[in-house]
Amino acid sequence: MARSRDTEAFYKSVSQTLLTDCGDWRADPVAAVRRIFKKGASRQWSISTWRLYRAALRWYLMESGYSEAADAVRDYTPPENAHPILRGAKKKQKHLGRADLDILDTALAGSRQTYAPAARLWLWVGILTGLRPREWEGASLDEEGLVLRVRNAKQTNGRANGTHRHLRLHRMTPDEQNAIRQMVDLVATSADFSLLYARVRKIIWRTAKRCWPRRTQRPSLYSARHQWAANAKRIYSKRVVAALAGHASEETAGIHYARRSRGESAHLPEPLEQDIAAVRKPAKIPPFTPPTVQETDQG
């Protein structure tokens, strides 16, 4: 499977760090692999960490010409006591219903932080449109302000339904349409989108931690997309949800996003027919039919 340059660069960085800790690993790369995973077992790496390090090391060692060591990586699997630890994305809440949104919005409204207004707006339009946070960079409206054009993220390996998708905003209220227009303008006038994104993520994370100090999972900027997905599943078919989300397959939202039961009533965009047509339907595998006795004899 093809990998993006960013993924390969990340795998290279991770692998070099792991191997460098083993000293002169090139003298015996197979032994170095053994030491790495022995250390992982003693430090009780989580299952996701095992998977990441195995994938990174196999790719890097194969690319570097150490095929024997790359094959050896396959022999190391997570021990039985390995467990999923909530880190990174797993700490993010996969829904953001009205109750939590109201609490978070009220806390942000009372904040004196420079980026608090942007955080409030970003959460709202995220629930309205389902855009990934980074997809706002370069997003634009047509002259009437009723069609939002979005450059799809995650286009590698055929994961998106094209380079762009289009969201018709006709069913939304004037206030909701205006909020989306404000978001497009905010990003367009920002001197540094990455800085804006980072500051907004940070203030939401800090505010959510104050609002729910005992939770293991808290709302994040990406939680808005999950909530949008749950809302969309209530009124649209899988194919339409995929077109609006920018997915190539109509099954993706059902596997990786919030459940339909988390959905709430909302005014949602509509996709263009061309975006719906670009979504792949799941392959239909015919049921297995055992061969007849005559076919078996002829085989």
Side-chain angles (χ1 to χ4, degrees), residues 139-155:
S140 60
L141 288 163
D142 66 352
E143 292 183 1
E144 296 180 357
L146 294 178
V147 178
L148 181 65
R149 186 172 187 265
V150 184
R151 177 180 290 277
N152 284 326
K154 298 189 177 181
Q155 297 179 30

Side-chain angles (χ1 to χ4, degrees), residues 206-274:
R206 287 181 173 178
T207 305
K209 191 174 182 180
R210 289 198 301 270
C211 291
W212 299 283
R214 295 185 179 182
R215 283 191 186 180
T216 55
Q217 293 181 314
R218 304 184 184 95
S220 69
L221 193 54
Y222 211 95
S223 299
R225 177 170 165 88
H226 281 281
Q227 186 61 47
W228 169 87
N231 296 346
K233 290 175 188 179
R234 290 188 61 193
I235 62 174
Y236 290 137
S237 67
K238 291 181 178 180
R239 196 167 178 79
V240 171
V241 173
L244 289 169
H247 294 153
S249 169
E250 63 182 49
E251 298 299 323
T252 303
I255 298 172
H256 298 290
Y257 287 83
R259 296 177 180 177
R260 182 180 183 275
S261 59
R262 290 282 188 183
E264 300 174 344
S265 60
H267 302 114
L268 299 179
E270 296 175 338
L272 297 185
E273 288 298 326
Q274 67 192 48

Side-chain angles (χ1 to χ4, degrees), residues 32-220:
V33 167
R34 183 170 59 250
R35 289 196 297 273
I36 288 171
F37 289 104
K38 182 178 180 180
K39 183 185 294 184
S42 65
R43 293 185 177 181
Q44 294 187 325
W45 286 346
S46 68
I47 293 174
S48 58
T49 299
W50 275 88
R51 290 173 178 168
L52 168 62
Y53 288 175
R54 288 181 68 204
L57 283 167
R58 280 186 62 189
W59 174 84
Y60 180 73
L61 289 167
M62 187 63 71
E63 289 292 311
S64 301
Y66 298 96
S67 57
E68 184 181 355
D71 290 339
V73 172
R74 297 182 181 181
D75 297 333
Y76 297 95
T77 57
E80 294 183 358
N81 64 344
H83 55 283
I85 297 175
L86 295 179
R87 293 193 181 104
K90 292 185 179 180
K91 285 187 175 181
K92 299 174 183 177
Q93 190 169 289
K94 286 193 172 183
H95 59 88
L96 185 55
R98 288 195 183 94
D100 279 1
L101 179 62
D102 287 345
I103 293 172
L104 189 55
D105 184 72
T106 300
L108 288 168
S111 173
R112 296 182 179 180
Q113 295 291 325
T114 303
Y115 291 88
R120 296 179 66 199
L121 177 63
W122 211 324
L123 285 169
W124 187 22
V125 297
I127 292 176
L128 291 176
T129 65
L131 265 67
R132 299 177 179 89
R134 285 198 175 276
E135 288 180 331
W136 285 103
E137 186 176 21
S140 60
L141 288 163
D142 66 352
E143 292 183 1
E144 296 180 357
L146 294 178
V147 178
L148 181 65
R149 186 172 187 265
V150 184
R151 177 180 290 277
N152 284 326
K154 298 189 177 181
Q155 297 179 30
T156 57
N157 300 321
R159 292 180 293 173
N161 64 329
T163 59
H164 293 80
R165 67 185 186 276
H166 305 80
L167 281 61
R168 299 177 69 247
L169 312 179
H170 296 71
R171 296 178 58 187
M172 294 186 162
T173 67
D175 285 345
E176 291 167 342
Q177 293 172 356
N178 186 53
I180 294 170
R181 189 177 300 110
Q182 289 180 33
M183 186 64 196
V184 171
D185 291 342
L186 172 66
V187 173
T189 57
S190 175
D192 188 336
F193 175 82
S194 294
L195 176 63
L196 172 67
Y197 180 28
R199 295 292 171 83
V200 166
R201 288 177 63 190
K202 193 169 187 178
I203 190 173
I204 291 174
W205 177 79
R206 287 181 173 178
T207 305
K209 191 174 182 180
R210 289 198 301 270
C211 291
W212 299 283
R214 295 185 179 182
R215 283 191 186 180
T216 55
Q217 293 181 314
R218 304 184 184 95
S220 69

